Amino acid sequence: MSISQPSYGSGPKFRVAICGGGIGGLFLAITIGKYDPSIPIDLYEAHDSIETAGVGITLWWQTKEVLRELGLLHEFEQIFTTIAEAGQSGQTIRRSDIPDGGYFWYQRYSGDRTPIPMHRQHMVGILEKHLPTSCTVYSKKRLVAYTEPERQDADSMSPTILEFADGTTATADVLIGADGIRSTVRKTLFEIAASENNSDDKIDLNQYIEPTFTGMTIYRSLIPAETLRMESPVNRSLTALTSYSGKGKSIVSYPISKGALVNVAAIISDPKLLGTHYDGHWVSETASGELIGRFDDFEPDARALIKLCEKPSKWALHILKPLPFWVRKRVALIGDAAHAMTPHFGAGAGQAIYDAYVLGRLIAHPLTKLPRIPEALRIYEEIRLPFAREVASLSFSTGNMYVFNAPGYYDGTRKKEDLDENGIGAYEREGMETMRQEILRRWEFVENSRGPLETWKEAESKLQVLTNY
């Protein structure tokens, strides 16, 4: 059974299929629909409906540029937990694996560039509501493979064939894999590329198909603010984005839903497990008791958060090896399918949004006709791949700094020599200061990077040069 057919002649210039109804896929559909509502979009979601985990999320300040351009900013402002509502600006980071009380490590003041917290489900709800009329959503459509047309040149614009787990097929002129870290589009793309790789410096392209376990496990939970206030009346997490760092463990917490909820993410890291096979489900529900005792050596504020995490979800954090390319002919990858990363920069969703905006603008541009699609996709890859890859690398290594597992940096050892008035030894002071400076340097790099609108201008310029416009 075939679901859709490509459009030619006097109709729309081409048909786009998006596999995956997550944040990247939704933003891509909205962007294409805004800038060329004549392009038919088929959005295939593997689940019964568009859904997401019920946890908090933060976005970089530059993301507001995209929201404003797409006409979404006003509605998003209704779900932001703003600086005034949160009570403080920036992020506080503490050394917390000291039971009687940790100490202040540093504060990252961001001013109007403070990360923006919100509830992930509220975000997806807004996006789903703004899907264009040109977009048709198909639920319970899990892609198992796609087939390239035998020829893709100016004389043959045959469609790509999509095959689904329910036995149905569909066709599309352009296929975008927004199907997450276990992307079927990525798997098929690299399998095809590997089968055709006959270069002398041949590398195994199949190595880029499967994700890599980081050795990190993250427990996510939402705590009603009033419940936390009763347990810990002046808990820092009620009013500020706070990180609690310790050897091999850390907690990140911040208020969402206008301060009504506190998002908690507790990370346990074992670097010896990096690259090993993870047995079990990558995401699962767990009993509240699984965390009890794991953070007993942390300070009281942190222990209060862990105590109130009822049935947290457990995530085995996986990432991708840096992909050598995201595009092949008329197929491209975005979001976690292209650059799944750890959450330590709060950048995963933001990078997916940047991907979607730049790619969506290129696809919808009047200069992009079907024969030009491969070149337009390569412009997207050329502009977005290097920066997203750098952010993913920095996120992983910075996360190891937060838990004192970063090679070449302070390892968390507490020596009782040359103690200051707070009982902190010289070895620890110097090591913490070196890491503080390096972490702030990295944040400065990502926060001062060019925004999506500037990135789009470069992409459009390249497209105009390509088409001699």
Side-chain angles (χ1 to χ4, degrees):
M1 175 184 174
S2 178
I3 298 174
S4 55
Q5 296 295 328
S7 301
Y8 302 104
S10 61
K13 53 184 183 178
F14 46 72
R15 190 177 204 97
V16 176
I18 303 172
C19 282
I23 290 172
L26 294 173
F27 265 100
L28 179 60
I30 292 170
T31 302
I32 296 172
K34 176 178 175 62
Y35 292 101
D36 189 343
S38 74
I39 297 177
I41 305 166
D42 298 310
L43 195 156
Y44 298 103
E45 169 55 41
H47 297 95
D48 292 346
S49 60
I50 294 174
E51 57 185 39
T52 188
V55 294
I57 187 173
T58 61
L59 296 179
W60 292 358
W61 68 276
Q62 297 103 318
T63 310
K64 282 186 177 181
E65 296 179 4
V66 174
L67 299 178
R68 186 177 293 109
E69 290 296 305
L70 296 180
L72 301 173
L73 183 56
H74 176 71
E75 284 188 66
F76 267 76
E77 287 176 336
Q78 310 310 306
I79 66 170
F80 290 166
T81 299
T82 65
I83 294 173
E85 291 161 337
Q88 295 186 24
S89 173
Q91 178 181 13
T92 300
I93 296 87
R94 297 178 58 79
R95 172 77 192 258
S96 295
D97 54 345
I98 306 170
D100 294 335
Y103 62 83
F104 173 85
W105 183 4
Y106 67 92
Q107 182 143 9
R108 190 170 60 81
Y109 291 100
S110 303
D112 60 357
R113 295 186 174 190
T114 298
I116 309 165
M118 69 195 76
H119 197 300
R120 187 182 292 259
Q121 287 182 343
H122 297 164
M123 178 187 193
V124 169
I126 292 175
L127 296 177
E128 189 173 7
K129 184 172 65 173
H130 283 272
L131 285 173
T133 56
S134 55
C135 178
T136 303
V137 178
Y138 299 90
S139 60
K140 293 192 286 188
K141 288 294 176 184
R142 184 177 299 278
L143 188 74
V144 294
Y146 71 83
T147 304
E148 290 182 343
E150 292 185 6
R151 293 177 58 199
Q152 293 190 46
D153 53 39
D155 299 320
S156 176
M157 290 289 110
S158 299
T160 297
I161 300 173
L162 285 60
E163 303 170 26
F164 298 98
D166 61 4
T168 61
T169 62
T171 57
D173 300 312
V174 184
L175 170 61
I176 308 300
D179 47 345
I181 189 169
R182 286 173 144 168
S183 169
T184 298
V185 177
R186 182 183 70 247
K187 178 178 183 294
T188 305
L189 186 152
F190 277 94
E191 285 176 343
I192 295 172
S195 70
E196 297 179 358
N197 186 14
N198 298 314
S199 61
D200 293 335
D201 57 343
K202 186 173 182 178
I203 60 173
D204 181 15
L205 294 177
N206 288 303
Q207 66 178 300
Y208 301 108
I209 293 174
E210 294 299 327
T212 299
F213 180 44
T214 61
M216 301 177 188
T217 303
I218 182 168
Y219 296 82
R220 304 181 190 270
S221 185
L222 295 177
I223 302 173
E226 286 306 311
T227 302
L228 178 58
R229 192 169 284 111
M230 291 176 62
E231 175 72 24
S232 179
V234 292
N235 195 291
R236 296 174 181 85
S237 301
L238 289 165
T239 57
L241 200 167
T242 308
S243 295
Y244 303 89
S245 288
K247 179 62 176 177
K249 295 173 287 189
S250 67
I251 302 170
V252 178
S253 61
Y254 50 86
I256 62 170
S257 299
K258 303 297 186 181
L261 296 171
V262 174
N263 183 77
V264 178
I267 297 177
I268 297 174
S269 176
D270 184 349
K272 296 190 299 296
L273 297 178
L274 173 64
T276 63
H277 175 72
Y278 184 84
D279 291 322
H281 296 292
W282 291 8
V283 180
S284 61
E285 296 298 321
T286 185
S288 57
E290 185 167 331
L291 271 178
I292 299 299
R294 304 296 294 271
F295 289 84
D296 281 354
D297 58 342
F298 270 46
E299 61 182 311
D301 267 14
R303 294 201 304 270
L305 294 172
I306 297 301
K307 178 182 178 181
L308 297 176
C309 287
E310 296 185 1
K311 297 182 178 179
S313 58
K314 178 180 178 181
W315 303 59
L317 291 182
H318 287 70
I319 57 176
L320 294 179
K321 291 181 178 180
L323 302 187
F325 51 86
W326 296 352
V327 166
R328 177 181 164 83
K329 298 181 179 178
R330 287 189 263 127
V331 179
L333 305 172
I334 69 171
D336 281 355
H339 47 69
M341 60 187 71
T342 63
H344 299 100
F345 270 149
Q351 291 303 298
I353 293 169
Y354 289 13
D355 292 346
Y357 183 71
V358 173
L359 180 58
R361 293 294 305 263
L362 282 166
I363 289 174
H365 199 281
L367 294 177
T368 305
K369 308 301 182 183
L370 185 55
R372 290 288 190 187
I373 280 290
E375 295 164 310
L377 298 188
R378 283 196 294 272
I379 291 173
Y380 154 72
E381 176 187 85
E382 178 185 345
I383 287 180
R384 284 292 304 137
L385 185 150
F387 182 71
R389 186 159 58 186
E390 179 68 8
V391 171
S393 174
L394 289 175
S395 181
F396 176 71
S397 57
T398 303
N400 280 321
M401 289 184 181
Y402 285 133
V403 295
F404 310 124
N405 283 335
Y409 289 92
Y410 173 59
D411 64 359
T413 300
R414 311 201 73 209
K415 297 180 180 180
K416 296 182 179 181
E417 300 172 357
D418 189 18
L419 301 179
D420 63 13
E421 65 275 11
N422 296 315
I424 305 170
Y427 176 73
E428 182 174 357
R429 285 198 308 273
E430 294 170 5
M432 296 287 279
E433 176 60 17
T434 298
M435 284 202 301
R436 181 190 74 85
Q437 293 180 12
E438 175 59 18
I439 292 171
L440 289 177
R441 184 194 67 79
R442 295 177 179 200
W443 272 107
E444 184 177 5
F445 165 74
V446 298
E447 288 182 336
N448 292 331
S449 61
R450 64 181 181 178
L453 297 191
E454 188 179 349
T455 304
W456 159 241
K457 289 178 182 178
E458 181 185 357
E460 184 179 35
S461 176
K462 288 179 178 291
L463 182 64
Q464 290 170 340
V465 169
L466 182 70
T467 55
N468 297 316
Y469 180 74

